[in-house]
Amino acid sequence: MAKLAIEGGKKTVTLHPAPWPRLGTDEVKAVTAAARAARTNPSYLSSPDGRGIVGKFEERFARKMGTKYAMTTCGGGPALHIALMAAGVQAGDEVICPTYSWGQSVSCVLQVNAIPIFADIDPDIYTMTAKTIEAKLTRYTRAIIVVHIFGHPVDMGPIMRLARKRGIPVIEDAAQATGAKYKGKRVGSLGDIGCFSIGDGKQIIGGEGGLLLTNNRKLYERGLLTGHHPVRHYQITDPELKSWSDSLIYTYRMHPMAAVICNVMLGKMDRFNSERRRNYGRLTKGLADIPGIKPPVVKRNCEHVFHIYSPTFVPEEVEGVKREVWVEALGAERMPIGLGYVWQPIHLRRRLVRHAYFSGRGVPWTLHRGKKDIRYRKGDCPVAEARCASTELSIWGGPAWMGDQSKIVDQFLRAFHKVTDNLDVLRKRSKQKRK
Ligand SMILES: *Cc1c(COP(=O)(O)O)cnc(C)c1O
């Protein structure tokens, strides 16, 4: 039996995928060509009017994703902020969002001085469900933000039926799921507004940047008004909205070079995503006979795009082994695995529990429309809380998993087998840890 690296043995994993983001020759060529073109055509470096390369990229993105309109932004966070402004969410309104996400799915709510109301997650795919959302709806709910966490699509059908019945707009945070499909349709095109990120670590990148999608002309125009330069407001047809054009709000425009880079990447997106699926599929298959770990679930009619591979620790299968010790042993083999991604459910984070967001004066909670005192407590979202506390696992490097990575995957699997062969050593270490 091979000696564990944590006990001084040889490390199993020697190969690693190349880092991400990675620019291909095509991206470099496109950037160079754009820089040259900018000498005679300034719109290659500055296009606040949304014409030129930025407009072309928007058109192409919308077509690819299956919506009428796309709007570029300087990030996924700004896209979410614009979405809430466009949806008409106001100070003191309630917005339903997940506690199991990246912080920006929630900070956008605070940014408009609305009050986040947290809904629990599905234990298999870690996203909110129609059921968990319905439990949190009140007459003060003005929007729902769903997150396709890790790249797995939310079960949008029942959520949209519920939201339509109640007349509440649904915003999709698709920042981790560019290209993912739900029942044959792209995520981000299923709700009222979809928000994307093309920043560091996402499926396709532009350096920094984001996009917003919608089929609704009114929401599109309100978004333009919120985040784009007045020279672009010629696109606004609603005279009432147009009259606000002098009141510049946020400078959330995309850098044209980001559009140039991402426009090339967009053409490779489906290939990248299917290669990720193939590599992770090999890992999932190989993990079937490893005790202590349950691979991420992919639901029927869903195409997962794996921003992060997030399996679940199953303590019953490795009795006496602590999750920390098991992960530490794998880490020593140079397996890129961590204890968690979310770590602490957002509703239990200090600034929320203490109502101490930024200004520190109790805003937005003091502004509640019905004067309710909204508090966040342990037990509000038991599934998400339990996952963070004891079963969450993450395997990093998602977007880098393109091409054929089977050699690396096989090394990863060897590391899992080695750790499995040495569970007794880990039991001993777990006991020591307890003392
Ligand atoms: C990355 C990310 C964002 C923010 O995108 P930026 O481009 O970094 O502003 C928002 N939500 C989720 C779920 C993300 O993963």
Side-chain angles (χ1 to χ4, degrees), residues 213-284:
L213 291 180
T214 184
N215 282 310
N216 182 314
R217 181 77 205 179
K218 191 158 184 189
L219 292 175
Y220 175 68
E221 294 193 359
R222 288 179 61 99
L224 286 175
L225 189 66
T226 307
H228 283 262
H229 194 283
V231 303
R232 195 173 169 172
H233 294 174
Y234 65 90
Q235 288 181 299
I236 298 177
T237 53
D238 179 342
E240 161 71 21
L241 273 185
K242 223 179 176 81
S243 71
W244 287 95
S245 194
D246 60 336
S247 325
L248 242 199
I249 310 187
Y250 307 112
T251 311
Y252 276 168
R253 303 187 298 276
M254 177 178 278
H255 192 296
M257 281 303 180
V260 169
I261 295 170
C262 200
N263 190 45
V264 179
M265 285 230 173
L266 185 59
K268 309 177 183 177
M269 177 183 73
D270 286 329
R271 174 167 62 83
F272 286 172
N273 283 341
S274 71
E275 288 169 354
R276 276 173 202 129
R277 262 196 298 281
R278 196 171 329 128
N279 291 322
Y280 279 123
R282 189 179 181 92
L283 183 61
T284 292

Side-chain angles (χ1 to χ4, degrees), residues 304-368:
H304 198 323
V305 290
F306 293 106
H307 173 61
I308 283 171
Y309 186 92
S310 186
T312 301
F313 185 65
V314 190
E316 311 86 84
E317 292 177 3
V318 286
E319 225 163 318
V321 178
K322 292 188 95 169
R323 182 174 60 137
E324 290 76 4
V325 172
W326 189 78
V327 164
E328 206 184 332
L330 283 160
E333 302 296 335
R334 291 196 73 216
M335 171 71 215
I337 188 167
L339 281 182
Y341 171 80
V342 176
W343 302 95
Q344 187 179 30
I346 296 171
H347 73 283
L348 295 180
R349 291 180 192 172
R350 207 177 39 172
R351 63 172 201 256
L352 287 131
V353 171
R354 294 195 191 161
H355 284 189
Y357 179 68
F358 223 71
S359 76
R361 288 183 292 176
V363 173
W365 295 275
T366 52
L367 306 174
H368 192 278

Side-chain angles (χ1 to χ4, degrees), residues 73-80 100-108 145-150 173-177 195-202 207-211 307-308 341:
T73 64
C74 56
L80 285 163
Y100 191 80
S101 186
W102 179 246
Q104 265 170 316
S105 317
V106 176
S107 55
C108 57
I145 301 177
V146 297
V147 185
H148 306 286
I149 194 79
F150 303 137
D173 179 349
Q176 300 190 355
C195 299
F196 294 82
S197 168
I198 57 164
D200 176 49
K202 304 297 163 69
E208 294 288 350
L211 289 113
H307 173 61
I308 283 171
Y341 171 80

Side-chain angles (χ1 to χ4, degrees), residues 154-179:
V154 171
D155 189 9
M156 290 297 287
I159 293 176
M160 290 315 294
R161 282 195 290 279
L162 173 68
R164 291 277 179 267
K165 208 164 64 193
R166 304 283 195 109
I168 301 168
V170 175
I171 296 162
E172 299 176 71
D173 179 349
Q176 300 190 355
T178 312

